[in-house]
Amino acid sequence: MFELLGWSLLAGIVNALAGGGLFFTLPALLAAGIPSTAAVATASVASWPGYVSAFWGMRRRLRGGPLIGLTVIGLAGGGLGAFALTRFQAGNFNYLVPWLLLGVSLLYGRQLLSSKGFEGPLGMKPSAWPVLLGGSVYGGFFGGGLGVLLMALMGQLRLGSSLQQHAIKLYLSMLASGATIIVYSFSGLVYWHEALLLAFGYLFGGKLGARALEWIQPRLLAWGIVAFGVALSGYYFIRFYTPFGEL
C-alpha cells in the first residue's frame, strides 16, 4: 500500500514537470501481479487527479487560449486511444514506445538549438490539430512519456511560451486521462482498489510539481525534459528488447 502511494507521489511530480509518471507506477502495478493491459488502464485512470491538481496550478497561463479546440482534441484523442486499448493488447504496441520517445526527444532537442527557438504565439495553427490529436490518442492508449511527447510536439509547432506549453500539456493530459476513465470503467480492466491508492499520490504530487514549474528556468527545464525523454526511452528499450526487462 505505502509503496504504491510513494511511487504515485513521485509520478505526480514527474508528470507535472515533464511527463513519464507511468515509468514509476506501471512497474509497481506489474509487480503486484496485475496484467499488462489492466495495469496501463489502472495507471491511466489513477493519474487523472494529479493532472487536475497540476493544471489547476497553471490554469491562468491559458487565459485567452484556444480552450475549445484543445478540449475537443483532448477528449476525442483520449477516448479513441482508450477504446483502442480495450480492443488490442498493449504489449503489441510496446516495441514502438522507446523509438517514439527517443525520436520526439531528439526532435525537441533539435528545436531548442534552432535559431527559431521553441516558443511562439498562443494560437491553434491548422497543423496543430492532427499533431496534438495524435498525441492525445497516444495518451489514451498507453501514455508512457506523454508529457515529453506533447512538449516535443508543441516545441516543433512553437505553440505558446514555455509555461503556456506546460499548461497545454497538463490540460490535454487531464482531458485524455479523464476520457479513459469513462471508457475503462465499462471495460472491466481497472483494478479500483489500486487505482484509488495511486490517485491520492498523483493528486498531491501534481500539486507539488505545478508549484515547481513556476520557478524553474524554462530553458533548463526544456533540456531536462530532453534528457529525461532519452533516459526514459533507454528504460523502455531495456524493458521491451532485452532479457533484463523480464527481471
Side-chain angles (χ1 to χ4, degrees):
M1 173 181 175
F2 292 107
E3 181 180 357
L4 285 177
L5 282 173
W7 285 121
S8 60
L9 177 66
L10 183 58
I13 296 172
V14 169
N15 273 348
L17 292 175
L22 202 67
F23 168 78
F24 302 101
T25 54
L26 184 58
L29 290 171
L30 293 173
I34 297 176
S36 175
T37 302
V40 172
T42 301
S44 297
V45 168
S47 66
W48 183 73
Y51 287 128
V52 172
S53 65
F55 173 70
W56 187 255
M58 297 287 292
R59 67 192 185 282
R60 64 183 182 278
R61 299 289 176 178
L62 285 187
R63 286 176 182 167
L67 285 178
I68 294 177
L70 292 172
T71 301
V72 172
I73 288 172
L75 290 176
L80 286 171
F83 180 76
L85 184 65
T86 66
R87 294 292 180 267
F88 303 101
Q89 288 294 318
N92 297 332
F93 184 71
N94 286 346
Y95 296 101
L96 293 177
V97 171
W99 295 103
L100 178 63
L101 288 177
L102 179 62
V104 297
S105 298
L106 294 178
L107 280 175
Y108 193 28
R110 178 177 174 274
Q111 192 66 33
L112 293 178
L113 294 172
S114 169
S115 59
K116 296 180 180 179
F118 64 99
E119 298 179 306
L122 182 61
M124 287 289 286
K125 307 172 186 175
S127 59
W129 283 81
V131 171
L132 295 180
L133 180 63
S136 297
V137 170
Y138 171 81
F141 184 81
F142 184 76
L146 174 61
V148 176
L149 172 63
L150 290 176
M151 289 299 294
L153 295 177
M154 286 185 288
Q156 292 292 307
L157 294 167
R158 295 194 295 281
L159 180 59
S161 67
S162 176
L163 286 176
Q164 286 172 334
Q165 289 175 8
H166 278 285
I168 293 172
K169 170 199 72 179
L170 292 170
Y171 188 60
L172 288 177
S173 298
M174 178 185 72
L175 292 173
S177 178
T180 67
I181 295 177
I182 299 173
V183 176
Y184 293 151
S185 294
F186 292 100
S187 70
L189 289 173
V190 179
Y191 282 59
W192 287 105
H193 176 69
E194 287 79 2
L196 289 173
L197 285 175
L198 292 174
F200 280 109
Y202 269 114
L203 178 65
F204 292 106
K207 192 174 184 65
L208 291 173
R211 288 183 178 179
L213 276 174
E214 296 287 351
W215 56 265
I216 297 178
Q217 204 276 332
R219 198 165 188 85
L220 177 62
L221 179 58
W223 278 112
I225 291 172
V226 172
F228 185 76
V230 172
L232 192 59
S233 70
Y235 164 80
Y236 282 123
F237 270 120
I238 293 172
R239 181 171 181 80
F240 299 138
Y241 281 89
T242 74
F244 299 104
E246 302 298 325
L247 298 179

